[in-house]
Amino acid sequence: MRSLITAGVLALAAGLSATPAAPATAEAKATITCHGGSFNASLNPGVTFKRAVSQITGVGDLGVCSSEQNKKITGGKFRIVASGTGNCPSPLTVGYGRLQIAWNDGTTTEAPQASIRLEATTFSIEAGNMRLSGRTAASPIELGTQCVTSGLTSYTGAVDIFTLGAN
């Protein structure tokens, strides 16, 4: 009897060690909300009144973040590299690219297919269950002046809200 129990325990232990551990998915289930922050993008070539394709490189700060599931996340920085088509006056550019977020706790979130939309007064970046929206820091007159002269090569804005996992 004792040998049957020992054999059963050994078989159970062998089965458990052969089963791979499930990957951590806390981030996928977490809801993160951020308010405030900033966004700076460069556009090359600059956007003019003629519809054309521009390469967009943007970086930003998500401001103050909170998550009930991961209390360690209190902020993050993001980067987007995209290509978009647009012209003045608006939409300045609409396109797609890769979004990367580096959270203050050392974790990262990446979206290889994020949409970006830069308008004369607002901007947005969306990817799956991530949404970021904000408003430009420049007046439409300043943006229009850049469009007329050298082309709009830089875009600065304030992040109003970022959500990950919220509906």
Side-chain angles (χ1 to χ4, degrees):
M1 180 72 153
R2 184 180 292 192
S3 63
L4 285 176
I5 293 173
T6 304
V9 168
L10 289 174
L12 179 61
L16 289 176
S17 65
T19 305
T25 58
E27 185 177 298
K29 294 179 183 176
T31 298
I32 302 169
T33 304
C34 305
H35 297 278
S38 61
F39 175 60
N40 295 297
S42 61
L43 297 95
N44 185 22
V47 176
T48 65
F49 287 96
K50 182 179 177 186
R51 188 168 183 77
V53 175
S54 293
Q55 300 303 313
I56 307 136
T57 303
V59 295
D61 180 352
L62 294 173
V64 178
C65 302
S66 63
S67 171
E68 286 297 318
Q69 297 84 359
N70 188 345
K71 303 269 189 209
K72 292 180 183 179
I73 292 180
T74 59
K77 299 197 179 295
F78 67 96
R79 174 178 166 78
I80 186 163
V81 176
S83 178
T85 303
N87 62 291
C88 297
S90 205
L92 300 171
T93 189
V94 176
Y96 295 93
R98 175 179 291 281
L99 173 65
Q100 300 169 313
I101 301 171
W103 300 105
N104 67 291
D105 70 347
T107 60
T108 60
T109 302
E110 289 190 283
Q113 190 69 20
S115 67
I116 183 169
R117 183 176 187 94
L118 303 179
E119 298 272 355
T121 57
T122 62
F123 67 92
S124 64
I125 300 172
E126 297 185 8
N129 63 350
M130 291 184 276
R131 309 266 183 277
L132 183 147
S133 63
R135 55 198 144 59
T136 183
S139 74
I141 293 171
E142 291 172 304
L143 294 174
T145 301
Q146 290 181 48
C147 288
V148 169
T149 56
S150 61
L152 178 69
T153 58
S154 65
Y155 186 94
T156 303
V159 174
D160 290 331
I161 188 165
F162 168 85
T163 58
L164 183 146
N167 292 332

